[in-house]
Amino acid sequence: MSDSNFPDEPGPTLDRFLDNLPGLAYRYDPKPPWEMTFLNGQVEALTGYPSSAFTQGDVSYGSLVVDDDRDALEQSIRNGLDARRQYTETYRIRTRSGDIKHVLERASPVEVDGEVAAVEGVVIDITQQKTYEQRLERQNDLFAHTQQMAVVGGWEFDLQSGDLRWTDQVNRIHGIPVDASPSIDEAIDFYHPEDRPRIRQAIEDAIRNGDPFEEELRIITHHGEQRWVHTEGVPKMRDGTVIRLRGAVQDITDRREREQSLRDEQAFTKSIFEALPDLLYAFDRDGSPTRWNDQFRRTTGYTDDEIATMNALEFIAEEDRNRVRTHIEDVFEAGETTTVEARLKTKAGDHVPYEFTGAPMMDERGTPEKLVGIGRDISRRMERQRRFEAVFNNTYQFTGLVSPDGTIIEANETRVSFADTDVRSVVGAKLWEALEFCDEGDRESLRNGFEQAKSGSPYRDELRVRGADREAVIDLSIRPITDDDGRVTLLVPEARDITAFKDRERLLRVLNRLLRHNIRNDLSVIRGYVETLRERSTEEGTAAYADHIDAAAENLLTTSEKAKQMVDLILHPTGETNPLEIDAVAETVSERLRARYPEASITVATEEPVVVECNERIETALEQLIENGIEHNCSPSPRVTVRVFEHAGEAHVEIADNGPGIAADEWSMIDEEVRDEPSQLRHGNGIGLLLARRIVNAFSGSLQYARGDNGGSIVTVRLPAE
């Protein structure tokens, strides 16, 4: 704009115009601080502030704009100024009294010499108009929503002109445009072929006899969809003649589908009711049965007529009736769902363990009217429970269940001999308080172990406890039990008295020291004296005796060394393992034995490297087996061949010699040593074979023995290959 809409000094006519304006007129500088140079009209009526408050800068008009509307208004102003055009915007302001008003602002930039020198405009109060618009919008929405929810429309058929008129909603129901105008025949053709005769007959009866009609029929929409409609028509008569028909059409597809779904649901429920293997029943407050399934009749042995005349408690064993009666009262008086175990009494007099669960069926006032229940045969469950208890309570070690707070909630009936107490007496106590420990450190270990198990990691330790008349060592472990989400819900502690085992372990350690030092030293002394005797003796027979003594001492020394290794293996299990190339191990052992037995031939044949999971103890096993093929070989040229290969996921170390072979009874004694009570070993090589077998077994392997084709022994070590 090049000219101002409002002169700097308005005249009387303009003043009167502005005073009657339902709002205000303004002019302000488009540059900060946007000073108002003109403001007139019903300013105070609109904003609650006098004009001077704005022109003197006491109040900024922009501060009255509601926050949610400010961005849109500012954007509209910027667009108008940038484009040098008029802009219009509606928004809300908050008056001095806090009221919210809707206003319409329309303004234009004022250009001077191509620059925007000012902005002039008006702000008009449209609050009442907005209220009317919102009310009208709500009414329209309500009307549209009501029409949509009812899915109903009207129709009229003029018999004189033959015109059929439908409302928009009827067109929508049929899936055709709202401006479509079908004929009466076209309208009838929308109906399902099986339902057309009914609607045609109803229309004809209405026209001929003036009979109103009301039908529920199927239609096929313009899009091929089948819908259910409720259609009705009322004749309009003049001088006894029907001149038009008026009616309504309502889409009732959802209702019909719900009804069908309900029928299907009822049929499905009935099939479940009859198919379940459990007893299903209902009875009233008097205990009179009102409904039961076929399984109830088959299980009890009574006919339907007999059941109808009986009381609910008559189906319960006499000894259990008072307890069941209490549960029934809880259902009817407290409205609670209860479960009780009792024996079902059949017509034949049998008593069958059952679990009965009853729930209230409420009347319209919310009062329990009937008891609806289910009965489940728990004979098998009780049998399984008896079997479990038989196993649980007849083990030689203590087993229990502990809650996550450490309380013992279940324990078997094993008597802990070292504590001289029935462990069931500890139920309810904390796990770490149920035993008397010899050392508080052991109690603390158990508490820490409990926390470890509660976090999901098993715990195991050997603890010293004080019993009635002695101290004992127990092997105690705690294993967590988790639910489907991995949360620990229970813990299982197990304890067994290992005092005797620990005593035997101590004796083995004493024996180990005896074999390691005393016997070995004494045999070395004997061999020293034998050597002295051989040197000083001049008699031929004495020297022979000395040789025999020396050989026996050497045999005892070898045997004691193998026995020491056996004890070491018992006291110190195999421990950690790592991948080893078994062919390289076989070569290392063979090289060591070649130096010890230079007269023997030891060869190692390897097809390719074979890796097994073991440790250095496998060397001892291979050494015993290779050495056995040399020491007990009668040939003047002992020969041992070691062949290493892999077959079917196993590493095979085949050790063949040209000696006399291992006697069948001696090999059987090696097996016996593993499986049965020890027998007397006839030769020193027996303990070496036993040591080898124990080591190989410790690595999940096995030993096999066979006679060679040309005599001799073939011992094969089989280990899982990596």
Side-chain angles (χ1 to χ4, degrees), residues 412-450:
N412 62 354
E413 296 178 354
T414 300
R415 178 176 293 276
V416 181
S417 58
F418 57 83
D420 193 27
T421 182
D422 184 344
V423 296
R424 296 192 71 85
S425 64
V426 304
V427 171
K430 298 296 184 183
L431 178 61
W432 47 87
E433 295 174 355
L435 298 171
E436 183 180 355
F437 293 94
C438 298
D439 187 285
E440 281 302 311
D442 285 351
R443 188 188 305 276
E444 190 62 25
S445 172
L446 178 56
R447 289 186 66 107
N448 294 336
F450 169 78

Side-chain angles (χ1 to χ4, degrees), residues 362-378:
M362 305 297 186
D363 60 16
E364 63 276 2
R365 297 186 303 274
T367 302
E369 179 183 31
K370 295 180 181 180
L371 183 149
V372 179
I374 183 171
R376 177 160 296 171
D377 187 341
I378 58 173

Side-chain angles (χ1 to χ4, degrees), residues 656-661 705-714:
D657 63 59
N658 62 342
Y705 168 71
R707 296 280 296 181
D709 294 338
N710 299 319
S713 305
I714 301 177

Side-chain angles (χ1 to χ4, degrees), residues 11 17 60 70 120-121 131 147 165 207 239 257 262 341 344 372 382 478 483 509 523 707:
F17 170 76
S60 168
R70 183 173 288 111
E120 297 176 344
T131 302
Q147 186 182 36
R165 292 188 293 276
I207 295 173
D239 299 330
E257 289 179 350
L262 180 60
E341 291 184 5
L344 177 75
V372 179
M382 295 188 69
I478 307 176
D483 59 15
R509 293 184 186 278
L523 287 173
R707 296 280 296 181

Side-chain angles (χ1 to χ4, degrees), residues 184-299:
I184 186 65
D185 291 332
E186 290 172 337
I188 292 175
D189 286 342
F190 274 106
Y191 284 87
H192 191 282
E194 295 178 1
D195 295 344
R196 286 174 197 162
R198 287 176 57 188
I199 187 64
R200 185 175 285 109
Q201 185 64 49
I203 293 174
E204 290 176 357
D205 290 344
I207 295 173
R208 183 172 51 252
N209 305 322
D211 297 334
F213 62 86
E214 187 173 354
E215 299 282 354
E216 289 188 0
L217 305 170
R218 293 164 293 176
I219 64 170
I220 306 298
T221 69
H222 178 69
H223 305 294
E225 180 184 9
Q226 178 176 294
R227 310 289 292 175
W228 279 91
V229 295
H230 175 93
T231 182
E232 58 183 49
V234 178
K236 179 68 174 178
M237 305 185 72
R238 180 186 298 167
D239 299 330
T241 302
V242 176
I243 60 173
R244 65 175 58 89
L245 296 177
R246 289 176 178 169
V249 175
Q250 183 179 21
D251 189 336
I252 60 170
T253 305
D254 290 344
R255 193 200 80 194
R256 292 290 297 224
E257 289 179 350
R258 286 195 300 271
E259 291 174 351
Q260 184 60 45
S261 177
L262 180 60
R263 288 191 293 271
D264 294 342
E265 181 88 11
Q266 290 172 338
F268 181 64
T269 301
K270 183 177 180 181
S271 66
I272 293 177
F273 194 80
E274 297 301 337
L276 278 178
D278 299 323
L279 311 184
L280 294 174
Y281 52 86
F283 55 85
D284 59 22
R285 283 179 170 270
D286 296 330
S288 299
T290 59
R291 189 172 180 184
W292 55 91
N293 64 347
D294 289 343
Q295 186 64 25
F296 188 95
R297 173 175 47 78
R298 288 192 295 267
T299 301

